[in-house]
Short mmCIF file of all heavy atoms in Angstrom, two decimals:
data_model
loop_
_atom_site.label_atom_id
_atom_site.label_comp_id
_atom_site.label_asym_id
_atom_site.label_seq_id
_atom_site.Cartn_x
_atom_site.Cartn_y
_atom_site.Cartn_z
N HIS B 25 36.03 232.67 -17.30
CA HIS B 25 34.78 232.29 -17.97
C HIS B 25 34.35 230.86 -17.66
O HIS B 25 33.25 230.46 -18.07
CB HIS B 25 34.94 232.47 -19.48
CG HIS B 25 35.37 233.85 -19.88
ND1 HIS B 25 34.55 234.96 -19.77
CD2 HIS B 25 36.55 234.32 -20.37
CE1 HIS B 25 35.19 236.04 -20.19
NE2 HIS B 25 36.41 235.68 -20.56
N LEU B 26 35.17 230.12 -16.96
CA LEU B 26 34.79 228.75 -16.60
C LEU B 26 33.84 228.70 -15.42
O LEU B 26 33.21 227.67 -15.18
CB LEU B 26 36.04 227.92 -16.26
CG LEU B 26 37.03 227.65 -17.41
CD1 LEU B 26 38.22 226.86 -16.89
CD2 LEU B 26 36.34 226.90 -18.55
N ARG B 27 33.71 229.79 -14.70
CA ARG B 27 32.85 229.81 -13.51
C ARG B 27 31.40 229.52 -13.90
O ARG B 27 30.86 230.08 -14.85
CB ARG B 27 32.93 231.16 -12.81
CG ARG B 27 32.00 231.30 -11.60
CD ARG B 27 31.98 232.72 -11.09
NE ARG B 27 30.96 232.93 -10.09
CZ ARG B 27 31.20 233.07 -8.79
NH1 ARG B 27 32.44 233.05 -8.35
NH2 ARG B 27 30.21 233.26 -7.94
N ILE B 28 30.78 228.62 -13.16
CA ILE B 28 29.38 228.25 -13.38
C ILE B 28 28.59 228.56 -12.12
O ILE B 28 28.94 228.09 -11.02
CB ILE B 28 29.25 226.76 -13.72
CG1 ILE B 28 30.05 226.42 -14.99
CG2 ILE B 28 27.78 226.37 -13.89
CD1 ILE B 28 30.09 224.94 -15.29
N ASP B 29 27.54 229.36 -12.24
CA ASP B 29 26.65 229.65 -11.12
C ASP B 29 25.48 228.67 -11.17
O ASP B 29 24.53 228.84 -11.95
CB ASP B 29 26.15 231.09 -11.19
CG ASP B 29 27.27 232.10 -10.95
OD1 ASP B 29 28.02 231.92 -9.98
OD2 ASP B 29 27.40 233.05 -11.75
N VAL B 30 25.56 227.63 -10.36
CA VAL B 30 24.53 226.59 -10.35
C VAL B 30 23.22 227.14 -9.79
O VAL B 30 22.15 226.94 -10.35
CB VAL B 30 25.00 225.38 -9.54
CG1 VAL B 30 23.94 224.27 -9.56
CG2 VAL B 30 26.32 224.85 -10.10
N PHE B 31 23.31 227.83 -8.68
CA PHE B 31 22.15 228.53 -8.11
C PHE B 31 22.67 229.65 -7.23
O PHE B 31 23.85 229.71 -6.88
CB PHE B 31 21.24 227.57 -7.31
CG PHE B 31 21.97 226.80 -6.23
CD1 PHE B 31 22.18 227.34 -4.96
CD2 PHE B 31 22.43 225.52 -6.47
CE1 PHE B 31 22.84 226.64 -3.98
CE2 PHE B 31 23.10 224.80 -5.48
CZ PHE B 31 23.30 225.36 -4.24
N THR B 32 21.78 230.57 -6.91
CA THR B 32 22.16 231.75 -6.13
C THR B 32 21.84 231.53 -4.66
O THR B 32 20.76 231.05 -4.31
CB THR B 32 21.40 232.99 -6.63
OG1 THR B 32 21.67 233.16 -8.03
CG2 THR B 32 21.85 234.24 -5.88
N VAL B 33 22.81 231.85 -3.81
CA VAL B 33 22.60 231.72 -2.37
C VAL B 33 22.82 233.07 -1.72
O VAL B 33 23.72 233.83 -2.10
CB VAL B 33 23.56 230.68 -1.75
CG1 VAL B 33 23.26 229.28 -2.26
CG2 VAL B 33 25.01 231.02 -2.06
N ASP B 34 21.96 233.40 -0.77
CA ASP B 34 22.13 234.65 -0.02
C ASP B 34 23.25 234.54 1.00
O ASP B 34 23.99 235.49 1.23
CB ASP B 34 20.81 235.03 0.66
CG ASP B 34 19.72 235.36 -0.35
OD1 ASP B 34 20.05 235.86 -1.45
OD2 ASP B 34 18.54 235.09 -0.06
N TYR B 35 23.33 233.36 1.62
CA TYR B 35 24.37 233.12 2.62
C TYR B 35 25.01 231.75 2.34
O TYR B 35 24.29 230.78 2.10
CB TYR B 35 23.80 233.14 4.03
CG TYR B 35 23.14 234.45 4.39
CD1 TYR B 35 21.75 234.58 4.30
CD2 TYR B 35 23.90 235.54 4.80
CE1 TYR B 35 21.14 235.78 4.63
CE2 TYR B 35 23.29 236.75 5.13
CZ TYR B 35 21.91 236.86 5.03
OH TYR B 35 21.31 238.05 5.35
N PRO B 36 26.33 231.66 2.35
CA PRO B 36 26.99 230.36 2.12
C PRO B 36 26.60 229.34 3.18
O PRO B 36 26.36 229.68 4.34
CB PRO B 36 28.48 230.70 2.19
CG PRO B 36 28.56 232.18 2.00
CD PRO B 36 27.29 232.75 2.56
N LEU B 37 26.51 228.09 2.78
CA LEU B 37 26.26 226.99 3.71
C LEU B 37 27.58 226.61 4.37
O LEU B 37 28.40 225.89 3.79
CB LEU B 37 25.65 225.79 2.99
CG LEU B 37 25.31 224.57 3.85
CD1 LEU B 37 24.30 224.93 4.93
CD2 LEU B 37 24.79 223.44 2.98
N LEU B 38 27.79 227.09 5.57
CA LEU B 38 29.08 226.93 6.24
C LEU B 38 29.41 225.47 6.52
O LEU B 38 30.58 225.09 6.53
CB LEU B 38 29.11 227.73 7.55
CG LEU B 38 29.08 229.26 7.40
CD1 LEU B 38 29.09 229.92 8.77
CD2 LEU B 38 30.26 229.74 6.57
N LEU B 39 28.39 224.65 6.77
CA LEU B 39 28.65 223.24 7.05
C LEU B 39 29.37 222.57 5.89
O LEU B 39 30.26 221.73 6.10
CB LEU B 39 27.35 222.51 7.35
CG LEU B 39 27.47 221.00 7.65
CD1 LEU B 39 28.34 220.78 8.89
CD2 LEU B 39 26.11 220.37 7.83
N ALA B 40 29.00 222.95 4.66
CA ALA B 40 29.65 222.34 3.49
C ALA B 40 31.05 222.90 3.28
O ALA B 40 31.94 222.19 2.80
CB ALA B 40 28.80 222.58 2.25
N ILE B 41 31.28 224.15 3.62
CA ILE B 41 32.56 224.79 3.36
C ILE B 41 33.61 224.41 4.40
O ILE B 41 34.78 224.20 4.07
CB ILE B 41 32.39 226.32 3.32
CG1 ILE B 41 31.44 226.70 2.16
CG2 ILE B 41 33.72 227.03 3.15
CD1 ILE B 41 31.11 228.17 2.13
N LEU B 42 33.19 224.30 5.65
CA LEU B 42 34.14 224.01 6.73
C LEU B 42 34.50 222.52 6.77
O LEU B 42 33.77 221.68 6.22
CB LEU B 42 33.55 224.45 8.06
CG LEU B 42 33.31 225.97 8.21
CD1 LEU B 42 32.63 226.29 9.53
CD2 LEU B 42 34.61 226.75 8.06
N PRO B 43 35.61 222.15 7.42
CA PRO B 43 36.06 220.76 7.46
C PRO B 43 35.03 219.74 7.93
O PRO B 43 35.02 218.61 7.41
CB PRO B 43 37.27 220.81 8.42
CG PRO B 43 37.82 222.18 8.20
CD PRO B 43 36.63 223.08 7.99
N PRO B 44 34.14 220.04 8.91
CA PRO B 44 33.14 219.02 9.26
C PRO B 44 32.28 218.58 8.08
O PRO B 44 31.92 217.41 7.97
CB PRO B 44 32.30 219.73 10.34
CG PRO B 44 33.22 220.72 10.95
CD PRO B 44 34.08 221.20 9.83
N GLY B 45 31.95 219.53 7.19
CA GLY B 45 31.20 219.16 6.00
C GLY B 45 31.97 218.23 5.10
O GLY B 45 31.40 217.36 4.43
N ALA B 46 33.30 218.41 5.07
CA ALA B 46 34.14 217.53 4.25
C ALA B 46 34.07 216.09 4.76
O ALA B 46 34.02 215.14 3.97
CB ALA B 46 35.57 218.03 4.25
N PHE B 47 34.08 215.91 6.07
CA PHE B 47 33.96 214.57 6.64
C PHE B 47 32.64 213.93 6.25
O PHE B 47 32.59 212.74 5.89
CB PHE B 47 34.07 214.64 8.17
CG PHE B 47 35.47 214.66 8.68
CD1 PHE B 47 36.07 215.85 9.06
CD2 PHE B 47 36.20 213.49 8.80
CE1 PHE B 47 37.38 215.89 9.53
CE2 PHE B 47 37.51 213.51 9.27
CZ PHE B 47 38.09 214.71 9.64
N ILE B 48 31.56 214.69 6.31
CA ILE B 48 30.24 214.14 5.98
C ILE B 48 30.17 213.74 4.51
O ILE B 48 29.74 212.63 4.17
CB ILE B 48 29.14 215.17 6.32
CG1 ILE B 48 29.13 215.45 7.82
CG2 ILE B 48 27.78 214.67 5.87
CD1 ILE B 48 28.21 216.57 8.24
N VAL B 49 30.60 214.65 3.62
CA VAL B 49 30.55 214.36 2.19
C VAL B 49 31.46 213.18 1.85
O VAL B 49 31.10 212.29 1.06
CB VAL B 49 30.94 215.61 1.37
CG1 VAL B 49 30.99 215.27 -0.12
CG2 VAL B 49 29.95 216.74 1.61
N MET B 50 32.64 213.15 2.46
CA MET B 50 33.58 212.06 2.21
C MET B 50 32.97 210.72 2.65
O MET B 50 33.15 209.69 1.98
CB MET B 50 34.88 212.31 2.95
CG MET B 50 36.00 211.36 2.58
SD MET B 50 36.50 211.56 0.85
CE MET B 50 37.70 210.25 0.71
N GLY B 51 32.25 210.73 3.76
CA GLY B 51 31.60 209.51 4.21
C GLY B 51 30.58 208.99 3.21
O GLY B 51 30.50 207.79 2.94
N PHE B 52 29.80 209.90 2.62
CA PHE B 52 28.83 209.50 1.61
C PHE B 52 29.51 208.96 0.35
O PHE B 52 29.02 208.01 -0.27
CB PHE B 52 27.92 210.69 1.25
CG PHE B 52 26.78 210.90 2.20
CD1 PHE B 52 26.79 211.97 3.08
CD2 PHE B 52 25.70 210.03 2.23
CE1 PHE B 52 25.75 212.16 3.97
CE2 PHE B 52 24.64 210.22 3.11
CZ PHE B 52 24.66 211.29 3.99
N ILE B 53 30.64 209.57 -0.05
CA ILE B 53 31.36 209.10 -1.23
C ILE B 53 31.90 207.69 -1.00
O ILE B 53 31.79 206.81 -1.87
CB ILE B 53 32.50 210.07 -1.58
CG1 ILE B 53 31.93 211.42 -2.02
CG2 ILE B 53 33.38 209.49 -2.69
CD1 ILE B 53 33.00 212.48 -2.28
N ILE B 54 32.47 207.45 0.17
CA ILE B 54 32.99 206.11 0.48
C ILE B 54 31.85 205.09 0.54
O ILE B 54 31.97 203.97 0.04
CB ILE B 54 33.76 206.14 1.82
CG1 ILE B 54 35.02 207.00 1.68
CG2 ILE B 54 34.15 204.73 2.25
CD1 ILE B 54 35.76 207.21 2.99
N ALA B 55 30.71 205.50 1.12
CA ALA B 55 29.55 204.60 1.18
C ALA B 55 29.05 204.26 -0.21
O ALA B 55 28.68 203.11 -0.49
CB ALA B 55 28.44 205.25 2.00
N LEU B 56 29.04 205.25 -1.11
CA LEU B 56 28.61 205.00 -2.49
C LEU B 56 29.54 204.02 -3.19
O LEU B 56 29.07 203.11 -3.90
CB LEU B 56 28.55 206.33 -3.26
CG LEU B 56 28.16 206.23 -4.74
CD1 LEU B 56 26.76 205.64 -4.89
CD2 LEU B 56 28.24 207.60 -5.41
N LYS B 57 30.84 204.18 -2.99
CA LYS B 57 31.80 203.23 -3.59
C LYS B 57 31.57 201.82 -3.06
O LYS B 57 31.60 200.84 -3.83
CB LYS B 57 33.24 203.66 -3.31
CG LYS B 57 34.26 202.72 -3.94
CD LYS B 57 35.65 202.98 -3.44
CE LYS B 57 36.64 202.02 -4.12
NZ LYS B 57 36.32 200.59 -3.82
N ASN B 58 31.35 201.70 -1.76
CA ASN B 58 31.11 200.38 -1.18
C ASN B 58 29.84 199.75 -1.73
O ASN B 58 29.78 198.53 -1.95
CB ASN B 58 31.04 200.48 0.34
CG ASN B 58 32.38 200.83 0.96
OD1 ASN B 58 33.42 200.62 0.36
ND2 ASN B 58 32.35 201.39 2.16
N MET B 59 28.80 200.56 -1.94
CA MET B 59 27.56 200.05 -2.52
C MET B 59 27.79 199.54 -3.95
O MET B 59 27.28 198.49 -4.33
CB MET B 59 26.49 201.14 -2.51
CG MET B 59 25.95 201.49 -1.14
SD MET B 59 24.80 202.90 -1.19
CE MET B 59 23.56 202.27 -2.34
N ILE B 60 28.55 200.30 -4.72
CA ILE B 60 28.84 199.88 -6.10
C ILE B 60 29.64 198.57 -6.10
O ILE B 60 29.36 197.64 -6.89
CB ILE B 60 29.61 200.98 -6.85
CG1 ILE B 60 28.71 202.22 -7.01
CG2 ILE B 60 30.08 200.49 -8.21
CD1 ILE B 60 29.43 203.41 -7.60
N ASP B 61 30.65 198.47 -5.21
CA ASP B 61 31.44 197.24 -5.14
C ASP B 61 30.57 196.05 -4.73
O ASP B 61 30.70 194.96 -5.29
CB ASP B 61 32.58 197.42 -4.13
CG ASP B 61 33.69 198.31 -4.66
OD1 ASP B 61 33.78 198.48 -5.89
OD2 ASP B 61 34.45 198.86 -3.84
N HIS B 62 29.68 196.28 -3.77
CA HIS B 62 28.79 195.19 -3.32
C HIS B 62 27.86 194.76 -4.45
O HIS B 62 27.63 193.55 -4.65
CB HIS B 62 27.98 195.67 -2.11
CG HIS B 62 27.06 194.63 -1.55
ND1 HIS B 62 27.51 193.48 -0.94
CD2 HIS B 62 25.69 194.55 -1.52
CE1 HIS B 62 26.49 192.75 -0.55
NE2 HIS B 62 25.37 193.37 -0.90
N TYR B 63 27.34 195.71 -5.20
CA TYR B 63 26.46 195.38 -6.32
C TYR B 63 27.20 194.59 -7.38
O TYR B 63 26.68 193.61 -7.92
CB TYR B 63 25.89 196.67 -6.91
CG TYR B 63 25.07 196.48 -8.16
CD1 TYR B 63 23.78 195.97 -8.09
CD2 TYR B 63 25.59 196.80 -9.41
CE1 TYR B 63 23.03 195.77 -9.23
CE2 TYR B 63 24.85 196.61 -10.56
CZ TYR B 63 23.57 196.11 -10.47
OH TYR B 63 22.83 195.92 -11.61
N ARG B 64 28.44 194.99 -7.67
CA ARG B 64 29.23 194.28 -8.68
C ARG B 64 29.56 192.86 -8.23
O ARG B 64 29.59 191.93 -9.04
CB ARG B 64 30.50 195.07 -8.98
CG ARG B 64 30.24 196.39 -9.69
CD ARG B 64 31.51 197.22 -9.80
NE ARG B 64 32.49 196.56 -10.63
CZ ARG B 64 33.73 197.04 -10.83
NH1 ARG B 64 34.10 198.18 -10.25
NH2 ARG B 64 34.57 196.41 -11.60
N GLU B 65 29.81 192.68 -6.94
CA GLU B 65 30.09 191.34 -6.42
C GLU B 65 28.87 190.44 -6.55
O GLU B 65 28.98 189.27 -6.92
CB GLU B 65 30.54 191.42 -4.96
CG GLU B 65 31.93 192.01 -4.76
CD GLU B 65 32.30 192.13 -3.30
OE1 GLU B 65 31.48 191.69 -2.46
OE2 GLU B 65 33.38 192.66 -3.00
N GLN B 66 27.70 191.02 -6.24
CA GLN B 66 26.48 190.22 -6.37
C GLN B 66 26.22 189.83 -7.82
O GLN B 66 25.80 188.71 -8.10
CB GLN B 66 25.29 191.01 -5.81
CG GLN B 66 25.27 191.10 -4.29
CD GLN B 66 24.02 191.78 -3.77
OE1 GLN B 66 23.46 192.66 -4.43
NE2 GLN B 66 23.55 191.36 -2.61
N ARG B 67 26.46 190.76 -8.75
CA ARG B 67 26.27 190.47 -10.16
C ARG B 67 27.23 189.38 -10.63
O ARG B 67 26.87 188.52 -11.44
CB ARG B 67 26.49 191.73 -11.00
CG ARG B 67 25.36 192.75 -10.90
CD ARG B 67 24.10 192.26 -11.60
NE ARG B 67 24.35 191.99 -13.00
CZ ARG B 67 24.23 192.90 -13.96
NH1 ARG B 67 23.85 194.14 -13.66
NH2 ARG B 67 24.45 192.58 -15.21
N ALA B 68 28.46 189.43 -10.11
CA ALA B 68 29.45 188.43 -10.51
C ALA B 68 29.12 187.04 -9.99
O ALA B 68 29.48 186.03 -10.61
CB ALA B 68 30.83 188.85 -10.04
#
């Protein structure tokens, strides 16, 4: 019962499921962390 259907897709987005998609998403997460750190340094 924990399953949540955010939206319905006819075909899975393979780029997100396969390892290349993981590299892309991971890059965005690291970039977001760096932006937050840079913002905090400027505020300090």
Side-chain angles (χ1 to χ4, degrees):
H25 305 291
L26 294 178
R27 177 189 171 106
I28 300 174
D29 292 312
V30 181
F31 54 85
T32 303
V33 294
D34 295 329
Y35 300 98
L37 181 60
L38 292 179
L39 179 61
I41 298 175
L42 296 176
F47 277 99
I48 297 173
V49 176
M50 190 65 184
F52 277 107
I53 294 175
I54 295 174
L56 178 62
K57 181 191 180 299
N58 292 338
M59 289 175 58
I60 295 173
D61 286 339
H62 181 67
Y63 174 75
R64 292 173 64 184
E65 289 177 3
Q66 286 185 328
R67 287 290 301 272

